[in-house]
Amino acid sequence: MGLELYLDLLSQPCRAVYIFAKKNGIPFELRTVDLLKGQHLSDAFAQVNPLKKVPALKDGDFILTESVAILLYLTRKYKVPDHWYPQDLQARARVDEYLAWQHTTLRRNCLRALWHKAMFPVFLGEPVSPEMLAATLAELDMTLKILEDKFLQKKAFLSGPHISLADLVAITELMHPVGAGCQVFEGRPNLAAWRQRVEAAVGKILFQEAHEVILKVKDTPPADPIIKQKLMPGVLAMIQ
């Protein structure tokens, strides 16, 4: 059996893995795990990833979880252009720096924005107070300022003149609040221009394909009560 990727393109790290594999012509079998139906919580998927999270990679008998680990595995196994994860020590360190920073900052705040602005009221039928939503969006705004001022600065991409894994991970995160209706690039011309460069480097068709689900997330039908009960503990833990 060849490479298998267990993904749901609703998930931002799944989108990063999907885009990277597609862009670099890496052959794989897509194993869709529908998060909103709770398929990641099934006993069958637990055989692949006991943590019951996506993405997951299966390469023969080898199983790997965690999106950054999967992206690095793919860069090392396949002959991909150097700019994704440069051999140059300091250029690679810049990519590593961003990947280490984003887990508890941009990822958390983009995820909270999606759920507080769209998924709680639309999918779960749970109201979110204006105060909580305002606090969530304020946190996101502060994180976006750090992304722009510290990491992007005046460069073309986060780690230098060429797109890298850092940009791919960042843009897939930012499309979460975009899908929820947040104007994250409005009033941020530097960040908006970066987005256009990333989209062009990835390819507009692939970019739109990967983000089709998240850009229609506000049209998600309400959750079945049984599914809602099953999902709620994990959702609350995820967005804390």
Side-chain angles (χ1 to χ4, degrees):
M1 182 67 73
L3 183 70
E4 300 170 75
L5 295 176
Y6 293 79
L7 309 173
D8 182 340
L9 297 183
L10 177 66
S11 154
Q12 65 275 43
C14 285
R15 295 195 294 270
V17 170
Y18 180 85
I19 291 171
F20 183 79
K22 284 275 193 176
K23 177 65 179 176
N24 288 289
I26 297 171
F28 66 93
E29 289 288 334
L30 176 60
R31 307 295 186 202
T32 300
V33 181
D34 193 323
L35 296 174
L36 298 186
K37 292 182 179 177
Q39 291 179 355
H40 58 300
L41 303 175
S42 69
D43 292 339
F45 184 65
Q47 299 300 310
V48 177
N49 184 5
L51 299 177
K52 299 183 178 181
K53 295 180 179 180
V54 289
L57 172 152
K58 191 173 182 182
D59 193 2
D61 293 331
F62 178 71
I63 294 174
L64 187 64
T65 65
E66 298 300 325
S67 58
V68 170
I70 290 170
L71 288 167
L72 293 179
Y73 179 83
L74 296 176
T75 66
R76 291 160 177 156
K77 175 165 181 174
Y78 298 93
K79 291 182 178 179
V80 302
D82 181 72
H83 61 78
W84 288 110
Y85 195 55
Q87 291 297 312
D88 177 81
L89 177 64
Q90 292 185 357
R92 176 171 287 195
R94 286 296 179 212
V95 178
D96 289 336
E97 179 184 36
Y98 176 78
L99 294 177
W101 173 78
Q102 55 89 30
H103 283 288
T104 57
T105 49
L106 193 66
R107 172 163 298 177
R108 173 185 179 273
N109 291 331
C110 287
L111 195 62
R112 284 169 60 85
L114 172 70
W115 280 89
H116 286 163
K117 190 169 176 62
M119 298 303 286
F120 267 115
V122 174
F123 178 62
L124 295 179
E126 295 287 338
V128 175
S129 72
E131 295 79 12
M132 176 175 285
L133 180 58
T136 295
L137 297 180
E139 280 190 74
L140 175 61
D141 190 65
M142 288 188 292
T143 307
L144 291 173
K145 182 170 174 54
I146 295 170
L147 174 68
E148 194 166 9
D149 293 350
K150 173 180 169 42
F151 291 98
L152 182 58
Q153 300 174 356
K154 299 298 181 183
K155 303 189 296 294
F157 296 96
L158 293 180
S159 63
H162 305 290
I163 192 172
S164 72
L165 292 180
D167 301 280
L168 191 53
V169 169
I171 195 64
T172 51
E173 298 290 348
L174 290 182
M175 295 306 288
H176 251 35
V178 169
C182 300
Q183 303 300 317
V184 298
F185 298 104
E186 193 172 289
R188 297 185 177 93
N190 196 28
L191 204 62
W194 164 80
R195 176 199 169 165
Q196 294 302 317
R197 289 191 292 271
V198 172
E199 191 170 335
V202 166
K204 290 185 180 295
I205 293 175
L206 176 56
F207 188 87
Q208 291 300 319
E209 176 190 329
H211 290 97
E212 183 177 4
V213 173
I214 193 64
L215 291 176
K216 294 179 179 178
V217 76
K218 290 189 290 184
D219 299 327
T220 304
D224 175 88
I226 295 174
I227 294 293
K228 176 180 174 179
Q229 186 177 21
K230 183 187 294 187
L231 294 177
M232 189 64 88
V235 169
L236 293 174
M238 178 176 65
I239 64 170
Q240 281 181 350

